[in-house]
Each structure stands twice: as C-alpha cells, then as structure tokens.
Amino acid sequence: MGKIKLRNIKVFSYHGCLDEEGKIGSDYRVDLTVKGDLSHSAKTDSLADTIDYVHLNKIVKEEMAIRAKLLETVAERILNRVLDELLLVQKVKVGVSKINPPLGGDVGMVTVYRSKSR
C-alpha cells in the first residue's frame, strides 16, 4: 500500500450559501490524500502503472469550478470522481477549506473533511 498527498491546492471559486459569495468568490485550499497499491509502479517506473497526481489535481480544479452552496457537496463530488476515474485508488480523503469565511469574526479558514473507500 502507498499514499500520495496533494497539499495546499489553491483555487479561487464561488461556493457558499450567500448570494454575494456566488458573485464575489473566495480563496479556497484543497488537501487530497489517496491510498493504493504502488508496488507495481515502483518496479516498472511507468506513469501508466501508478496513481497520476496530475489527474488528481485536474479533478480538484474542475470540481471546485462548479458552484455549490456547501463545501460538503464539493468534497463529495471530488471523492466520487477520484474513485470513478482512478481505479488504483482504494481510499481517498479530501479537505476543502474556505479561506477567510464570512462568519462575522476573525477565522482564518473553515475546513470540511470527507473520506471514502472502495
């Protein structure tokens, strides 16, 4: 078993329940961890035999571009696409963070964590 982490993927997007969030947008951070068998790719040294982190990053960016009211919804879409498109992934965990959320206080970020396994 092996693990691949993509940390601090920075995205500007338009998620949130407030109308203003859909118009103004905000900065987001996504952290993604996947687990799978990387022993074969370690021997073959072939991209075709591993979990492609470029593909993982593409999924995150595409799903973050689709507006949602809740971070939970975006996280679920990311999880589902990773498991659907990358068959070597056995488990995936994602954290979607809104930087400086409009909470009426000094909060650096709020994060929703979700995970899924095959």
Side-chain angles (χ1 to χ4, degrees), residues 4-11 28-34 56-57 60-61 64 74-75 78-79 82 92-99 109-115:
I4 296 174
K5 291 183 179 185
L6 281 75
R7 297 185 62 202
N8 202 20
I9 302 169
K10 297 175 184 176
V11 182
Y28 292 82
R29 169 187 169 162
V30 179
D31 296 298
L32 187 69
T33 301
V34 297
L56 292 170
N57 188 59
V60 168
K61 292 199 172 197
M64 288 297 292
V74 182
I78 292 168
L79 295 174
V82 169
V92 57
K93 179 181 177 183
V94 67
V96 180
S97 304
K98 181 181 282 192
I99 310 298
M109 77 175 124
V110 62
T111 306
V112 169
Y113 294 100
R114 297 284 320 275
S115 65

Side-chain angles (χ1 to χ4, degrees), residues 7-54:
R7 297 185 62 202
N8 202 20
I9 302 169
K10 297 175 184 176
V11 182
F12 188 85
S13 196
Y14 298 89
H15 307 299
C17 293
L18 303 175
D19 288 337
E20 295 81 20
E21 292 175 298
K23 295 173 185 171
I24 298 169
S26 185
D27 290 315
Y28 292 82
R29 169 187 169 162
V30 179
D31 296 298
L32 187 69
T33 301
V34 297
K35 291 183 179 180
D37 185 357
L38 303 178
S39 60
H40 183 63
S41 59
K43 294 174 190 169
T44 66
D45 196 31
S46 173
L47 181 59
D49 295 332
T50 194
I51 299 167
D52 184 356
Y53 52 79
V54 173

